[in-house]
């Protein structure tokens, strides 16, 4: 097991390895051209404020003891790594992301004992069986094929160790994105091919459970994690879509000003508005966990 040394092994993988360009995560077809991941500040404004509460509830659901070695695969801006460091009191956390911009943001915010490395999730620079727990947040559906990343996660965890992840419930429970793509398709029918509900069939409980079982993991369980997403007004909801980070903002960035206004107006019309113009939605993720056989 990995307690005898740091799990990071730079000899296994060069930071520039893999076929992706920095800031872009691979997915099937051409839809991935809008999946831009370069600016940590933009992501935090767009999605980080909602993904961080999900990460906190995810680590609570895992219920792991203290003083373990953790690996965070596809760490992004570091929300899950921060939750592990705060709640789980780990021996150390190794966080890995392909985007130098996101890894830099995560590194700047990391607490003592968290180390951030730029590398590919499908070719992890980590020794076999070096970690007690391997986790991933909001990443697997952007990797092609996701089974390759899960196989790497399994390789790096010790016998009896935990492998777990979560993804947005694009099919119905992630209201913000469901409403956005509905509005986008109303304004631009060609956007239907980009709708994350269509793109990511993995992000359903049966598919996630099957992926874990097919990776040879045991004691597999899947559970929903929900957090409220409350916006002060429409501007609070809309303006983060203009950051250019992620599929929906990446798509908007390619539109003319007039076309963006059509999407904006369609989205405004679809939203349930409360007192003072506030918008109360829900974000649901599906979480999966399993153990590597002893």
């Amino acid at each position: 097991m990995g307690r005898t040394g740091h799990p990071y092994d730079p000899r296994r993988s060069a930071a520039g390895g893999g076929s992706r360009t920095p800031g872009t995560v691979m997915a099937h077809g051409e839809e991935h051209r809008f999946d831009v991941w370069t600016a940590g500040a933009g992501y935090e404004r767009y999605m980080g404020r909602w993904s961080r509460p999900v990460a906190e509830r995810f680590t609570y659901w895992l219920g792991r003891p203290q003083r373990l070695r953790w690996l965070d695969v596809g760490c992004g801006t570091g929300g899950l790594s921060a939750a592990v460091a705060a709640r789980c009191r780990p021996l150390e956390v190794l966080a890995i992301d392909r985007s130098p911009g996101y890894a830099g943001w995560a590194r700047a915010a990391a607490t003592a004992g968290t180390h951030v490395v730029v590398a590919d999730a499908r070719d992890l620079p980590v020794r076999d069986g070096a970690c007690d727990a391997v986790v991933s947040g909001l990443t697997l559906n952007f990797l092609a094929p996701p089974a390759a990343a899960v196989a790497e996660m399994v390789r790096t965890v010790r016998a009896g160790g935990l492998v777990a992840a979560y993804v947005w419930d694009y099919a119905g429970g992630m209201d913000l994105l469901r409403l956005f793509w509905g509005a986008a398709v109303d304004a631009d029918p060609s956007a239907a091919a980009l709708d994350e509900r269509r793109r990511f069939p993995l992000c359903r409980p049966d598919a996630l459970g099957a992926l874990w079982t097919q990776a040879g993991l045991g004691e597999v369980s899947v559970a929903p994690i929900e957090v409220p997403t409350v916006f002060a007004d429409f501007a609070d909801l809309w303006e983060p879509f203009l950051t250019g980070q992620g599929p929906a903002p990446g798509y908007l960035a390619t539109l003319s000003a007039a076309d963006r206004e059509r999407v904006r107006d369609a989205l405004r019309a679809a939203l349930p508005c409360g007192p003072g113009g506030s918008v109360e939605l829900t974000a649901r993720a599906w979480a999966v966990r399993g153990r590597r056989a002893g």
Side-chain angles (χ1 to χ4, degrees):
M1 204 274 290
R3 276 198 185 80
T4 58
H6 197 287
Y8 178 52
D9 182 1
R11 297 169 299 179
R12 281 199 54 88
S13 173
S19 59
R20 297 177 297 167
T21 56
T24 302
V25 184
M26 291 296 291
H28 292 292
E30 291 299 314
E31 298 90 344
H32 71 270
R33 67 190 183 278
F34 299 112
D35 298 351
V36 179
W37 317 102
T38 55
Y43 178 84
E44 283 295 301
R45 187 180 176 206
Y46 167 55
M47 196 59 71
R49 55 179 169 168
W50 314 124
S51 63
R52 287 177 182 269
V54 172
E56 292 170 5
R57 297 189 185 192
F58 174 71
T59 55
Y60 179 82
W61 178 66
L62 295 181
R64 304 303 297 149
Q66 300 178 13
R67 304 293 293 171
L68 299 182
R69 290 192 187 276
W70 291 74
L71 173 63
D72 180 5
V73 177
C75 69
T77 53
L80 178 52
S81 295
V84 169
R87 179 179 288 278
C88 304
R89 301 187 180 277
L91 185 65
E92 67 177 321
V93 180
L94 177 60
I96 288 175
D97 199 85
R98 182 65 178 86
S99 165
Y102 280 29
W105 182 278
R107 188 178 296 114
T111 56
T114 297
H115 313 279
V116 183
V117 174
V118 177
D120 196 307
R122 298 162 300 176
D123 187 17
L124 295 169
V126 179
R127 293 181 291 107
D128 294 357
C131 303
D132 301 297
V134 183
V135 293
S136 181
L138 308 179
T139 298
L140 285 180
N141 50 290
F142 292 104
L143 303 175
V150 177
E152 278 289 270
M153 294 168 72
V154 173
R155 177 187 64 76
T156 60
V157 77
R158 64 171 173 83
L162 179 77
V163 178
Y166 58 94
V167 293
W168 287 128
D169 176 16
Y170 296 104
M174 209 314 177
D175 291 344
L176 177 64
L177 295 178
R178 176 178 57 81
L179 290 166
F180 172 85
W181 287 113
V185 172
D186 284 346
D188 171 18
S190 70
L194 308 174
D195 188 336
E196 288 154 287
R197 290 174 294 182
R198 171 190 175 277
R199 287 182 60 192
F200 302 133
L202 171 67
C203 299
R204 294 172 170 83
D206 290 350
L208 278 176
L211 182 63
W212 251 235
T213 299
Q214 290 162 9
L217 295 162
E219 301 178 37
V220 175
S221 62
V222 180
I225 299 175
E226 292 190 359
V227 298
T229 53
V230 181
F231 302 88
D233 52 28
F234 180 72
D236 186 34
L237 182 148
W238 174 253
E239 289 175 3
F241 277 105
L242 305 179
T243 62
Q245 298 300 296
Y251 160 72
L252 276 181
T254 69
L255 299 182
S256 68
D259 287 341
R260 279 197 299 274
E261 291 214 2
R262 278 192 283 273
V263 175
R264 182 194 65 189
D265 292 345
L267 178 57
R268 188 198 296 268
L271 290 171
C273 292
S278 65
V279 181
E280 298 186 8
L281 304 175
T282 299
R284 180 168 66 203
W286 288 111
V288 60
R289 66 188 180 195
R291 292 185 182 277
R292 181 175 176 177

